[in-house]
Amino acid sequence: SQTIHQWPATLVQPVGSPLSLECTVEGTSNPNLYWYRQAAGRGLQLLFYSVGIGQISSEVPQNLSASRPQDRQFILSSKKLLLSDSGFYLCAWSVPGSGRKTQYFGPGTRLLVL
Amino acid sequence: AQTVTQSQPEMSVQEAETVTLSCTYDTSENNYYLFWYKQPPSRQMILVIRQEAYKQQNATENRFSVNFQKAAKSFSLKISDSQLGDTAMYFCALKTLYGGSQGNLIFGKGTKLSVKP
């Protein structure tokens, strides 16, 4: 069966510091991968998605970036965090191809920027 | 533009009773998928149920069922025999097959459901 992992679970970082959040998927090959952010009391906003190694699409202009160095690894980064980057970050995966449209989410990372 | 609207920010229900959560959406596509996700206090997003727009039959998963009205663009979730563990935020989401982000889910703002003992 497939599983998705995210770490760290919680992170407190000062403004201006770098960020690296990691997401890995097990039990599947060439998954579509997604990064979402959920601000307090709000729905989810898609940040990035990837359909393959090195292929990243950005949905929202911001100081965050994403990379996919390996087939089942998706990394969210920032060189300098802003206060507005605080939130709950969720990684998700889906099986590529027609008919497989369900996204499955990881446990999330709670980020607090002070 | 595609939108998902959940008009009930909060709802409550007594344990063992039935509750219905509302969702309306807008899309110009004819083929799409609709989802209900549950987010308990742990904040992990869990898939509850999925509906393909081309299927007329309403999806059912144990105590969870949907009322899918394609013409009205309505997709409500019914929870029968509510349990304390159903307490969570519930998000309605839309996914089209064409245009925009490949695989992008459009989420509503959520409904906070409290099941009371």
Side-chain angles (χ1 to χ4, degrees):
Chain A
S1 63
Q2 300 86 6
T3 56
I4 179 168
H5 305 277
Q6 286 186 246
W7 64 88
T10 304
L11 190 60
V12 181
Q13 292 284 95
V15 170
S17 64
L19 173 74
S20 181
L21 303 181
E22 190 164 344
C23 169
T24 58
V25 180
E26 296 177 357
T28 186
S29 297
N30 195 32
N32 291 336
L33 295 172
Y34 312 85
W35 277 112
Y36 288 88
R37 177 169 58 201
Q38 185 180 29
R42 307 182 76 171
L44 275 70
Q45 178 187 40
L46 179 66
L47 301 176
F48 301 95
Y49 69 93
S50 171
V51 299
I53 296 175
Q55 301 178 60
I56 309 294
S57 295
S58 174
E59 289 298 300
V60 181
Q62 60 214 321
N63 70 321
L64 298 172
S65 62
S67 62
R68 186 169 177 174
Q70 300 180 39
D71 181 42
R72 291 170 290 176
Q73 184 185 32
F74 204 25
I75 297 172
L76 183 68
S77 304
S78 174
K79 293 181 179 179
K80 289 185 177 182
L81 282 169
L82 306 173
L83 288 174
S84 57
D85 291 325
S86 292
F88 190 63
Y89 289 83
L90 285 157
C91 181
W93 73 274
S94 69
V95 177
S98 61
R100 303 294 189 115
K101 300 303 179 184
T102 302
Q103 291 184 19
Y104 300 95
F105 287 82
T109 294
R110 190 185 308 268
L111 172 65
L112 179 60
V113 182
L114 301 175
Chain B
Q2 297 156 51
T3 59
V4 177
T5 302
Q6 293 179 251
S7 58
Q8 305 152 314
E10 292 192 41
M11 293 189 72
S12 64
V13 63
Q14 290 296 129
E15 193 175 9
E17 293 187 349
T18 296
V19 64
T20 299
L21 308 183
S22 301
C23 173
T24 58
Y25 61 93
D26 190 26
T27 179
S28 58
E29 301 294 334
N30 194 45
N31 293 320
Y32 49 89
Y33 293 78
L34 292 160
F35 304 84
W36 279 99
Y37 282 89
K38 166 186 176 181
Q39 189 178 40
S42 67
R43 299 197 73 177
Q44 178 153 11
M45 199 71 74
I46 302 166
L47 177 68
V48 175
I49 201 165
R50 180 179 83 169
Q51 175 80 41
E52 290 91 342
Y54 61 86
K55 290 186 177 179
Q56 293 184 343
Q57 186 175 5
N58 289 325
T60 299
E61 287 288 344
N62 300 315
R63 297 183 294 108
F64 299 88
S65 61
V66 299
N67 183 5
F68 174 47
Q69 301 290 328
K70 190 172 184 179
K73 295 183 178 176
S74 170
F75 183 60
S76 61
L77 174 69
K78 186 173 81 171
I79 306 174
S80 304
D81 186 24
S82 297
Q83 300 176 1
L84 296 178
D86 295 333
T87 293
M89 281 289 287
Y90 286 82
F91 291 94
C92 179
L94 164 71
K95 184 170 183 176
T96 59
L97 302 185
Y98 303 104
S101 314
Q102 197 179 105
N104 188 9
L105 275 173
I106 309 297
F107 283 86
K109 292 188 176 181
T111 295
K112 184 177 181 180
L113 177 66
S114 299
V115 180
K116 301 180 186 271

